[in-house]
Amino acid sequence: MKIKVLGCSGAEFPGHNPPGFLIDGKILLDAGTIGSYLSEDAQWKIRHILISHAHLDHIKGIPFLADNIIIKNKKHNVTVMGIAPVLKTLKNSLLNNKIWPDFTMIPNVEKAVIKFLEVKPGRQIEINGYKIMAYRVNHSVPATGYIIQDKRGKRLLYTGDTGPTHAIWKEAGRAKVDRAIIEVSFPNKMEALAVATGHLTPRLLKKELDKIKILPDKILITHPKPQHLKTIRSEIKKLGILNVRILKDGEVITV
Ligand SMILES: [Zn+2]
Ligand SMILES: [Zn+2]
């Protein structure tokens, strides 16, 4: 499995883009960054998008991708996957013919540029040989993390945005995860805000990792606020956990 980091920030600045992780060029994990990073050809290869939750920093690439597809005017569609409340929000609050055209009906329902596929927490689905399972996590809106297993049995865990949570760690302890992309948004001094908004700090990360029976081979941190990156980095270092580091936009992770 090759994971290209299109963005891994909890905000937007030059060089710091919202979350988007492209798996083997075909499956996109969150859609905070697409068109500002990928060429038209690369955008064309995306056939499935897994959404963790409907916050703007995780979905904002979708409308522009849909527009790029229709402009190229070919028979092509992308399947956007998420739990029911996430898809409902996308339909009612984004692709609602007010904020943006409803690309689930363009050019028509049958050939729509954007198709929705509901995922249910705890129920595995298979897409092009990847086994995908969603787990409810603890955020300010309905949200899931995902565990994705490729044909070779390599397992990637992605938390999306979450505060302290349980189900996904239980599954991570059942069979070893090779790579875990875990959110840490705030420094330790902002723990109250982190908990109130459904996010983690380095100290909370340590508590979450203590819940996993077998630690992942590598722990990769996403979603830090760039304004606090230095502090978060040094606080993570002080945890003394092996194989944990903060991700960078543009890097490629091989699993
Ligand atoms: Zn969020
Ligand atoms: Zn976010």
Side-chain angles (χ1 to χ4, degrees), residues 37-50:
Y37 196 98
L38 293 175
S39 69
E40 190 177 38
D41 282 352
Q43 291 179 42
W44 209 253
K45 292 195 179 95
I46 300 170
R47 298 312 303 267
H48 294 88
I49 302 178
L50 277 170

Side-chain angles (χ1 to χ4, degrees), residues 9-10 19 53 55 57-58 139 160-161 183 185 199 223 225:
S9 258
H53 65 297
H55 273 157
D57 59 326
H58 298 252
H139 196 39
D161 289 6
E183 84 117 278
S185 295
H199 289 293
H223 212 272
K225 294 286 179 198

Side-chain angles (χ1 to χ4, degrees), residues 27 32 36 46 68 77 100 112 122 129 146 171 182 188 191-192 194 199 206 216 225 231 236 245-246 249:
I27 298 179
S36 61
I46 300 170
N68 292 349
N77 60 64
W100 206 250
Y146 290 98
E171 175 57 26
I182 302 177
N188 288 334
E191 184 171 315
H199 289 293
K206 174 77 173 74
K225 294 286 179 198
T231 313
I236 286 174
R245 68 176 177 86
I246 298 177
D249 283 31

